[in-house]
Amino acid sequence: MRSVIAFNDDWLYYAGDVGADVPDSQFQPVTLPHTNVVLPHHNFDNAEYQFISTYRKHFRLPEARNGRRVYVDFDGAMIACEVFLNGHKVGENEGGYTPFSFDLTDYLNETGDNLLTVRLDSTERPDIPPYGNVVDYLTFGGIYRDVKLRYVELCHIEKVFVRTLDVLTDKPRLEIEITMRNQGPETGAELGASIYNADGEEVTFSDIWASVPGYSTETFVLNGFNLPQISLWSLDTPTLYSVKFWFGSEVQISENPLQFGFREAVFRDDGFYLNGKKVKLRGLNRHQTYPYIGAAAPARLQRKDADILKDEFGVNIVRTSHYPQSPHFLNRCDEIGLLVFEEIPGWQHIGDQDWQGITLRDVQAMIERDRNHPSIILWGVRINESFDNEAFYTATNALAHKLDPTRQTGGVRNFRGSQFLEDVYTYNDFSNTVLEPDFTPHLVTEFNGHMFPTKAWDQEERQVEHALRHARIQDKAVSLERVTGAIGWCAFDYNTHQEFGSGDRICYHGVSDIFRLPKFAAYFYESQLDPAIRPVIRPATFWTMGDCSEGGINPLVIFSNCDEVEVFFGKERFGQFPPDRAAFPHLPHPPFVIKGLSLLWGGHTYDDLRVVGYINGQAVAEHRISTRGVPHALTLTPDDTELYADGADMTRLVFKIVDEYGNRLPYTNQVVSFELEGPAELIGENPFALMGGQAALYVKAKREAGTVTIRATTPRLELAVATIQMR
Ligand code: GAL
């Protein structure tokens, strides 16, 4: 039997490089995922996370070994480590974004206590990608992803690749490539796989006789599946199937059945096709880092980011800039139908042969880990924005094609005419438009970003222009037949080095702030949602009469997927307006740009804004903004009302100072203080001086069930209270 056991609990942590002579009592108990230091959300020095730390875990084997081998699997630790069991070194790893495993068996104490020690180097090592030159993001430190203990039979499944073929014909096929590793003498048995539909019913299986010579690895292909009618994986209906394996009488992968989907994803010269249908790609780049906790976000926060991208921002693709991201994030992309362009770690710099060797290992680890995700449609096998290097990139492309012949490659470049060794020409286009492609297929992988940094509390005109730049570029991308789509820079503001950003260690390039709370640009993306999903009506204004140049609000920009909008000033009706199809002829839902409204100085009374959206003549949505300018309420909203009491689970706790209609007051910087009662911890700055009228903390579970109450206070407003159950 194979068993995989979560190994995140009961670690001990010391923020230094210490030997066995330092007693456990000087360590701190922690649960993974773990950041080596909790930081403020900005205004810190990246040197603060750059140190060597020591993790220990005392354990007894949770199950008898019964002749099996026992491995420890790390999903990721930043950035290099050496691992010891009971004082013996079992392995080392370089690179913070891909998984690694070590065989513990030879040094295990099977009946007594064991001590696993990790010496983790989180310094920005120039010999490991992305480092060697400046980098526009932070890597942070810690064992920041999950760890598992895995028991396997001597002869066991090591790798699996599920390939769905001919899915658009009436004879779709399934091929499963299985790599068996035999750590014992020659053996042979039936090797099989069963396929289950989304309701958990077995729909088909295939098996073969597999003989595996002693002490070797051997690859087999199962292709005798008799597939019934299948449901395709698509953006609207992301149907997933699962597969379970056996070898002989023993189930080899029994828990967490592997998920996959039937879909055909291909970039052609005239566009990207999903299941034979052309889909224009509209996306955003995502960094995996969060305020306070670096990259050490548990499953719930990872999944939430995918939901924000798909449901709140309405995009259909995300680029995992600039490295492979959490399996939890990718699993959620599979579940909700969000396409992914995943790329290897790196940023503008190519190191020496050893450094390049780590990159080749990263290519392999990324593809072997992730090639079963239906959401992933493209591998990025070039260091983001690096110079041409024919030998290096010929090798990364060849390796990607060998490990996954079903997917195309891209390689993100930022200069025209660079050598095109991949299948898709992926280009960062900072021209503030979309240039006609030199090569096809062509995908714009970044735009905007540093060309127009914008804070959530910047003056309104800048925030509107920021949003309109995204709108214009997406409009242009739709217009160009030979451009498959555009992925904007970027989804969320992110922490960075002092050479980049606004000097406070943040790049304010997001369509939302670092807490994932929207700026107007996020409203533009949201407004491209199909109105059948929900009508969207978002005036891009704070509705103040003297904040913009020359006074008033001219033009009034509204992001909406409605056919028409009606605008009121208090009770007074200004008129009904169509979207600005002249300026945005290609977008499914052009912004409304309403010019020449004479407001306060046109003899009108200064009054609330009310915008009503119409679809097919019916009023379907409304938005109001107050003119009072006086804080109405402090709101406190957790994303979840229940957490797992596992010592690691977290949810975001959003707080805002709002007007009577729930709009944040963008220039409010009052101090908000928090008190928490019950079995949980608040992560973040407390008290917090608001910026842009909104921000967030995180609530982190302890290993105790119960009710958690959080109270937020600020002068002159009523107390706000939130409750979360820890289960
Ligand atoms: C690009 C780079 C991104 C980010 C962006 C800012 O050149 O690939 O990582 O730095 O610029 O606009």
Side-chain angles (χ1 to χ4, degrees), residues 136 322 347-348 384-385 428 430 446 448-450 489 494 509:
D136 173 21
H322 301 295
W347 203 82
Q348 294 192 349
N384 172 63
E385 296 189 338
N428 290 349
F430 288 105
E446 290 182 33
N448 251 355
H450 64 285
W489 190 265
Y494 55 97
H509 299 173

Side-chain angles (χ1 to χ4, degrees), residues 135-137 285 287 319 321-322 343 346-348 384-385 412-414 428 430 445-453 489-490 494 496 500 507 509:
V135 174
D136 173 21
Y137 53 91
N285 283 272
H287 267 305
R319 169 168 170 236
S321 51
H322 301 295
E343 74 184 349
W347 203 82
Q348 294 192 349
N384 172 63
E385 296 189 338
V412 173
R413 66 207 73 232
N414 58 347
N428 290 349
F430 288 105
T445 36
E446 290 182 33
F447 61 85
N448 251 355
H450 64 285
M451 304 302 285
F452 206 77
W489 190 265
C490 59
Y494 55 97
T496 191
F500 301 91
C507 264
H509 299 173

Side-chain angles (χ1 to χ4, degrees), residues 327-360:
H328 299 296
F329 177 75
L330 298 171
N331 288 342
R332 188 64 182 157
C333 293
D334 291 343
E335 291 168 19
I336 63 179
L338 176 61
L339 302 170
V340 179
F341 170 22
E342 190 170 47
E343 74 184 349
I344 50 170
W347 203 82
Q348 294 192 349
H349 163 79
I350 302 174
D352 62 13
Q353 286 305 318
D354 290 344
W355 191 103
Q356 293 176 32
I358 298 177
T359 293
L360 286 164

Side-chain angles (χ1 to χ4, degrees), residues 218-285:
E218 193 75 16
T219 296
F220 302 91
V221 176
L222 295 178
N223 52 17
F225 299 96
N226 185 6
L227 283 175
Q229 174 100 33
I230 53 155
S231 303
L232 294 177
W233 183 95
S234 67
L235 298 180
D236 298 330
T237 321
T239 309
L240 292 175
Y241 288 76
S242 61
V243 50
K244 285 185 189 174
F245 302 92
W246 68 87
F247 182 65
S249 58
E250 279 168 334
V251 178
Q252 291 275 340
I253 295 182
S254 53
E255 54 306 286
N256 292 332
L258 186 154
Q259 311 247 54
F260 70 97
F262 292 90
R263 97 281 181 274
E264 187 193 86
V266 49
F267 288 85
R268 304 208 171 101
D269 286 347
D270 70 335
F272 168 74
Y273 289 80
L274 183 66
N275 300 331
K277 257 182 55 193
K278 193 163 169 171
V279 176
K280 198 54 110 163
L281 298 171
R282 184 181 64 245
L284 291 165
N285 283 272

Side-chain angles (χ1 to χ4, degrees), residues 177-239:
E177 183 186 293
I178 302 176
T179 304
M180 301 287 300
R181 174 160 184 215
N182 192 354
Q183 293 180 277
E186 162 137 28
T187 182
E190 292 286 342
L191 173 65
S194 283
I195 307 301
Y196 299 81
N197 65 18
D199 298 324
E201 295 154 354
E202 181 172 352
V203 292
T204 179
F205 74 93
S206 168
D207 59 2
I208 52 168
W209 181 262
S211 345
V212 192
Y215 309 96
S216 68
T217 46
E218 193 75 16
T219 296
F220 302 91
V221 176
L222 295 178
N223 52 17
F225 299 96
N226 185 6
L227 283 175
Q229 174 100 33
I230 53 155
S231 303
L232 294 177
W233 183 95
S234 67
L235 298 180
D236 298 330
T237 321
T239 309

